[in-house]
Amino acid sequence: DSRGPEEGLPTLTVTTILEDPYVMVRSAELEGYCIDLLKALAAMLHFSYRVKVVGDGRYGALSSSGNWTGMIGEILRQEADIAVAPLTVTSAREEVVSFTTPFLQTGIGILLRKDTVSQDMSFFHFLAPFSKETWTGLLFAYVLTCFCLFLVARLSPCEWNEPKNEENHFTFLNSLWFGAGALALQGVTPRPKALSVRVIAAVWWLFTIALLAAYIANFTALLSSGAEQLPIQTFEDLVKQRKVEFGTLDGSSTFYFFKNSKNPIHQMIYEYMDKRRDHVLVKTYQEAVQRVMESNYAFIGESISQDLAAARHCNLIRAPEVIGARGFGIATTQGSPWTKQLSIAVLKLRESGDLDYLRNKWWETSCLQKSRERWNPLQPQALGGLFLTLAIGLALGVIAAVVELSNKSRHAAGHAKKSCCSVFTEEMCTRLRIKANTRQSQETSGRANA
């Protein structure tokens, strides 16, 4: 693939590697992200180019003989002037070639097949739609509401008019049963009569309806999503399990990242891949994706390329953790005047939004959006307004009960010619079963004095 030489324009030999969507062969021509980037750079800097695919199909690594392979080797041997490809900028490569400002940012991720790593549902999977904090808050709200029902039903004269002669049907156990029936959307007895008790019951019914709607919606999302069942979320999870093999591209910067890392987890990953080099390391990215799709294999590589694989193959997914932030740059010979010119051109393309346009053009698909979805348990903050409404309703119910009891005490005080406070206190003690103990203690002290 080439751009025809124009009079007076320099012609650059560009080496690249076939990798979807950076460089692909379509109808005997090359196309892809890197080809579009190369065309934009050529238009800005006014040069012609001739594109060749790297002979050995490698990116570039130092071999045992001391020579560089891949695109880095071709630049060093002056077989190419620049390399425009998903070539990671590393310190080892920077020592022998020069890199421009990165045109893409990426990291190291884990590519998996969904059905390979799917996990069996736990016995208590029905609790998953809410977080532990939400369940704790729900239990506290249930007990508090039932206690308020019990308390208000005893205080309200409209609910319990004659404490000495009548039995209060709203015992604490009956109040618990009433609250549980509302959670199951079932009407249970006893039925409230007083306004204060009805206020609390109505607010609790509203609370339970909204809560059940949130639970059903979240549980449906939980069953239809597999992301939350991914047992391999991090590189530490990958090392601990034994079901899935894992590897990376042979001689890639990802392999040497784990080799040079001092992190114990990364060292364990390198030792695993090094001991099984012939079995777990792959030659090409296409081979890696195919192996993930056909076997129990996890591929460790560039996260941005894995996002594309998950977009093109909906049964693949990338684990959430990404490490080793890095960038793809254009490689040139050391001391080349093109290095600075290309860097400035890349920055201009980024500032103008052209790089974002190319990113969306070659990556954005409906499958990619699906693979990025993550399900999370419903947190208490999402139901904060609902809990606040319940608290206000409980407070209104208690206040209404006190008002009802105060009105009765005021009328009784007028007939008995006593103070309203004393009558209110007597009523309160009677309804809370305090007066009987007080009377008994007074009779005992009277007998002792006699």
Side-chain angles (χ1 to χ4, degrees):
D1 189 84
S2 63
R3 177 189 179 189
E6 298 181 17
E7 186 177 354
L9 293 183
T11 301
L12 299 181
T13 301
V14 182
T15 180
T16 189
I17 192 170
L18 293 178
E19 182 177 329
D20 188 9
Y22 302 99
V23 180
M24 300 170 289
V25 179
R26 299 281 173 84
S27 303
E29 293 184 357
L30 295 179
E31 65 175 25
Y33 178 92
C34 288
I35 300 301
D36 287 350
L37 175 63
L38 184 59
K39 291 178 181 177
L41 293 174
M44 292 180 65
L45 300 179
H46 306 288
F47 65 84
S48 301
Y49 59 84
R50 182 179 65 86
V51 181
K52 61 184 292 291
V53 177
V54 60
D56 59 5
R58 295 178 178 271
Y59 291 86
L62 192 61
S63 64
S64 56
S65 61
N67 297 321
W68 282 85
T69 62
M71 292 177 282
I72 302 297
E74 290 190 349
I75 292 179
L76 292 176
R77 295 189 296 270
Q78 298 184 353
E79 298 174 8
D81 298 307
I82 62 174
V84 182
L87 191 61
T88 305
V89 180
T90 65
S91 59
R93 291 171 178 170
E94 189 73 54
E95 290 180 354
V96 294
V97 297
S98 295
F99 280 97
T100 65
T101 300
F103 57 85
L104 266 181
Q105 298 294 333
T106 182
I108 299 176
I110 308 171
L111 185 66
L112 305 153
R113 195 175 77 245
K114 292 180 180 178
D115 57 351
T116 301
V117 296
S118 61
Q119 192 178 40
D120 295 333
M121 291 186 179
S122 64
F123 189 71
F124 295 99
H125 193 65
F126 67 94
L127 298 176
F130 290 163
S131 65
K132 294 179 181 178
E133 294 80 6
T134 304
W135 284 115
T136 303
L138 174 59
L139 179 61
F140 178 77
Y142 167 69
V143 174
L144 179 62
T145 302
C146 294
F147 177 76
C148 288
L149 276 174
F150 164 73
L151 179 63
V152 170
R154 296 184 74 86
L155 294 179
S156 174
C158 299
E159 187 69 40
W160 195 25
N161 189 30
E162 295 293 337
K164 297 179 181 179
N165 303 323
E166 294 179 2
E167 180 183 357
N168 192 332
H169 297 291
F170 269 99
T171 63
F172 188 65
L173 289 178
N174 285 345
S175 299
L176 290 174
W177 179 244
F178 183 89
L183 280 172
L185 298 181
Q186 300 294 322
V188 294
T189 55
R191 301 185 185 279
K193 296 180 291 182
L195 175 64
S196 55
V197 183
R198 288 179 176 179
V199 167
I200 293 179
V203 172
W204 179 244
W205 288 335
L206 176 64
F207 178 84
T208 56
I209 290 173
L211 189 76
L212 289 173
Y215 177 86
I216 293 172
N218 222 32
F219 193 59
T220 303
L222 168 64
L223 295 178
S224 62
S225 173
E228 78 288 346
Q229 290 299 318
L230 195 64
I232 301 178
Q233 300 278 342
T234 64
F235 285 88
E236 184 176 357
D237 296 335
L238 186 64
V239 172
K240 289 181 178 179
Q241 58 83 40
R242 292 292 180 267
K243 180 180 178 182
V244 180
E245 296 180 324
F246 54 88
T248 186
L249 289 174
D250 188 12
S252 65
S253 60
T254 300
F255 180 81
Y256 288 100
F257 170 83
F258 288 100
K259 180 180 180 180
N260 300 325
S261 175
K262 303 301 181 183
N263 188 304
I265 300 298
H266 299 170
Q267 280 295 307
M268 293 173 65
I269 293 176
Y270 167 71
E271 291 173 3
Y272 175 90
M273 294 189 298
D274 191 48
K275 290 179 181 178
R276 301 166 178 80
R277 177 184 293 268
D278 295 335
H279 184 59
V280 299
L281 297 184
V282 293
K283 302 297 183 185
T284 64
Y285 182 78
Q286 291 76 12
E287 179 188 349
V289 174
Q290 194 68 24
R291 187 167 176 179
V292 172
M293 295 178 61
E294 296 177 353
S295 62
N296 292 346
Y297 181 78
F299 173 62
I300 302 175
E302 302 293 346
S303 60
I304 194 170
S305 300
Q306 293 174 349
D307 286 339
L308 179 73
R312 301 291 172 83
H313 310 281
C314 293
N315 62 330
L316 300 182
I317 188 172
R318 177 174 62 79
E321 186 181 34
V322 176
I323 61 174
R326 54 182 64 189
F328 291 153
I330 300 174
T332 65
T333 56
Q334 287 188 335
S336 171
W338 289 104
T339 306
K340 184 176 181 180
Q341 297 181 49
L342 289 170
S343 292
I344 295 175
V346 168
L347 289 174
K348 288 182 178 179
L349 291 175
R350 179 180 298 167
E351 292 168 356
S352 64
D354 289 341
L355 292 184
D356 292 333
Y357 168 76
L358 292 180
R359 174 71 167 80
N360 295 330
K361 174 183 177 181
W362 294 102
W363 267 264
E364 200 63 35
T365 68
S366 59
C367 212
L368 177 61
Q369 184 63 29
K370 256 185 202 180
S371 68
R372 285 179 177 174
E373 290 176 358
R374 293 290 182 268
W375 176 90
N376 294 308
L378 200 61
Q379 299 296 326
Q381 293 82 355
L383 301 175
L386 194 58
F387 280 98
L388 179 61
T389 303
L390 177 63
I392 294 174
L394 296 181
L396 290 176
V398 173
I399 293 173
V402 172
V403 171
E404 292 170 352
L405 184 59
S406 299
N407 291 334
K408 181 182 179 182
S409 300
R410 189 180 301 110
H411 291 299
H415 292 296
K417 296 182 179 181
K418 295 181 180 180
S419 67
C420 182
C421 291
S422 61
V423 175
F424 181 83
T425 304
E426 289 177 2
E427 283 284 342
M428 183 77 75
C429 293
T430 301
R431 293 173 181 278
L432 297 180
R433 301 302 186 189
I434 299 175
K435 188 173 182 180
N437 298 333
T438 305
R439 181 183 300 170
Q440 185 177 0
S441 62
Q442 289 177 350
E443 291 178 354
T444 303
S445 61
R447 291 173 184 173
N449 292 333

